[in-house]
Amino acid sequence: MKMKINIASTVSILFAVALTSSCKKKLDFQYDNRINQQPLNGSSVRLVNMANATDLKINGKPLTSFIPPDRDGYFGPDQTRGTIYFPETGRLGASYTVPQQFVNANGWIDSIVFSSMGPKSTLPPSRPFRAKDDFNDPHDYYYVRFRPNTANYMDSLFAIPRSVSAPANPASFKLRLLNLSSEPDKYSEPGLFRKGSMSLAWADGTPVAGLENINPGAYSPYIEIPYGTYQFKVLDRNGREVQGNSSLILNPATGTFMDYYGTPGPGGRADTWLTYAPFKTFQPGGVYTVAVSMNYDCTITNGNPNGETITTEGNTFRIVNDIAEPVNMTYGRLQGVNAFEGKEIKWQVNGAPMGEALSFTKYTPYSIYVTEKYNLKAIDKTGAVLAEKDLSLQPGDNITAWLYPARNGAPSIALVANNLSTKYYKGNASEEGSYSTYRDGIPFWMRFMNFCSDLDEVTFTADNGLPFLVNSTSKALNASQHILPGIAVTEDPYVQLFINHPTQVLAYVSRPGVAPGDWLSNIAPLKSRDFIARPALYPSPFIPNREPGIYTVALVGNSRNNARMIILKHNK
């Protein structure tokens, strides 16, 4: 029997088979969008480049591009040809973990050499050195601009042991101070050189116990500190602040940074009498080094009234992550304030005390809690519960609980979330925020609260009832006008002032549609220098107008007899 073949059907079947095969090939196609597509497992050896070297060779192999910079006077990463080891810029950055492939059979990495392709980026002496790969005893190799003020140096290279073990307390971080500072030479600006032994201090200049008087070329042991947001400062042997690494313009005579508010000085700028120190949230489980070294990136004015600047040398400090910074998924921070006049109180969290007994206007230090639901109580001296509230603590939360008199005089609790990230959003509701998020490197932020039981609204102002003068990317009116009792502003909640602009804080009774309203003349205004925690930190008479920080200003008491404004600083 003969079979008839339908040619049209056969063509259709073949086309379907071809289409199916074609689809399978497309499904097998993959696009690898990783910047570095090579498997580069890291050794235990890390290079910390604080001398602004741009290029690196290991055992004769160039790891960077070794192409001259694309502009004259280059100092820092520029856009050149990427490499396997530095795919984004082709340049050596601030730190680099040497890949395992460079470790020889005996566990050594041979012939590591720093260099620079920038014509003006003169480096300190650099000779080949070798490093041992040992995960039981990992080391960092700090390459710094260093002049011998101690016998313990070797071609500006320091081998420093690095801790990679977690803190004993998982809610804490580990921190140490490394002093690789240099003495000035006869061509240096003496005002930029904080020198000799160094100490780490809290934001108010009080030394951190265990991190004091570290000599040049030496480092402290690691200590554990409860996680949180800190503005650590470095003080030299004379108690003067060391500048944090930044691009700010410095007064060469004082080492403090210049701004445009105040009496004009060199280059038409005014000295703020402030020394830059970064704000940072140190995460639980983190390990950090504060490293001081000489850097050729201090910007100073050349004295011309047109504001021209030059770069020069000075001792500055940086914060180095000694391990990859952990993500906090476990802990939040909580503190309590007594804003109820006439009551001494204690705070309890799930029945356990939080801090000591508080008189009126006093507050507890921060306590750290695992993220879950809590019952928060304020109790009086007899143990009677004045008020209570449930709280669901989330990772990274920073909450202040305020006990205050409600409108009917009954004790009430207000829970206020504080933003200590120094980041804020400036955009509209239709944006997802990636390109409208800003970071304030020198924040002076004030949040206002009204805890006066007899005032329906309060407006806070600068001198003479005028609105606060804020920086160009922030807002002020929403955060300072028509503040309701016990209710925190959540949209644009902070007044973000210019760095050193002096101003007072005054309180007014306002009402809907009327601001500022009637001045509460019986309430003493807050002066700018009320925001300086410890004036002894600053050499007289050079005291700044105020200190950077994240603050709450609260009006407490009764407006007719004992009201006052109090200041609560949230970073330490």
Side-chain angles (χ1 to χ4, degrees), residues 140 195 218 285 302 506:
D140 287 334
K195 55 188 179 180
N302 62 4
L506 285 72

Side-chain angles (χ1 to χ4, degrees), residues 282-363:
F282 293 82
Q283 299 293 350
V287 184
Y288 305 89
T289 293
V290 176
V292 184
S293 70
M294 182 172 69
N295 289 285
Y296 193 80
D297 54 4
C298 293
T299 304
I300 62 173
T301 63
N302 62 4
N304 292 337
N306 59 5
E308 293 178 359
T309 61
I310 57 176
T311 57
T312 186
E313 292 178 324
N315 286 322
T316 63
F317 76 89
R318 301 177 184 178
I319 301 171
V320 180
N321 295 344
D322 286 344
I323 62 172
E325 194 167 52
V327 176
N328 178 17
M329 301 297 293
T330 308
Y331 301 103
R333 303 173 79 218
L334 178 65
Q335 69 176 159
V337 187
N338 181 8
F340 198 106
E341 187 178 10
K343 294 286 186 180
E344 182 180 281
I345 69 164
K346 289 184 179 180
W347 288 96
Q348 283 186 353
V349 178
N350 282 359
M354 180 178 70
E356 302 296 327
L358 301 176
S359 57
F360 180 49
T361 73
K362 301 302 181 182
Y363 53 90

Side-chain angles (χ1 to χ4, degrees), residues 39 42 64 67 71 76 179 225 237 251 271 283 289 293 346 357 363 417 441-442 445 459 467 523 534:
T64 52
I67 296 175
R71 60 185 183 275
N179 182 4
I225 298 174
R237 66 189 179 198
N251 184 338
D271 200 327
Q283 299 293 350
T289 293
S293 70
K346 289 184 179 180
Y363 53 90
I442 311 173
W445 292 8
T459 288
I523 298 176
R534 200 173 68 91

Side-chain angles (χ1 to χ4, degrees), residues 98-149:
V98 178
Q100 194 76 40
Q101 71 183 72
F102 291 100
V103 180
N104 64 25
N106 296 319
W108 286 91
I109 301 170
D110 293 319
S111 189
I112 304 172
V113 183
F114 296 101
S115 61
S116 174
M117 297 300 294
K120 296 183 180 179
S121 301
T122 57
L123 294 180
S126 176
R127 61 174 176 79
F129 67 95
R130 64 199 307 245
K132 180 69 172 177
D133 179 31
D134 184 354
F135 282 94
N136 294 317
D137 186 23
H139 275 66
D140 287 334
Y141 291 81
Y142 278 80
Y143 184 50
V144 300
R145 303 179 63 81
F146 187 81
R147 296 197 192 97
N149 50 5

Side-chain angles (χ1 to χ4, degrees), residues 394-466:
Q394 301 299 316
D397 270 354
N398 184 295
I399 306 293
T400 300
W402 300 79
L403 180 72
Y404 72 100
R407 200 70 180 90
N408 61 2
S412 185
I413 295 175
L415 298 176
V416 181
N418 306 300
N419 175 12
L420 271 65
S421 69
T422 71
K423 295 179 181 178
Y424 61 99
Y425 174 73
K426 181 179 180 294
N428 56 57
S430 64
E431 296 178 345
E432 53 88 18
S434 297
Y435 300 101
S436 297
T437 300
Y438 296 78
R439 183 179 184 276
D440 194 343
I442 311 173
F444 186 91
W445 292 8
M446 287 190 297
R447 171 181 236 148
F448 294 104
M449 296 293 298
N450 171 20
F451 294 118
C452 263
S453 61
D454 61 327
L455 297 180
D456 291 328
E457 276 190 13
V458 176
T459 288
F460 297 86
T461 75
D463 300 333
N464 300 317
L466 297 174

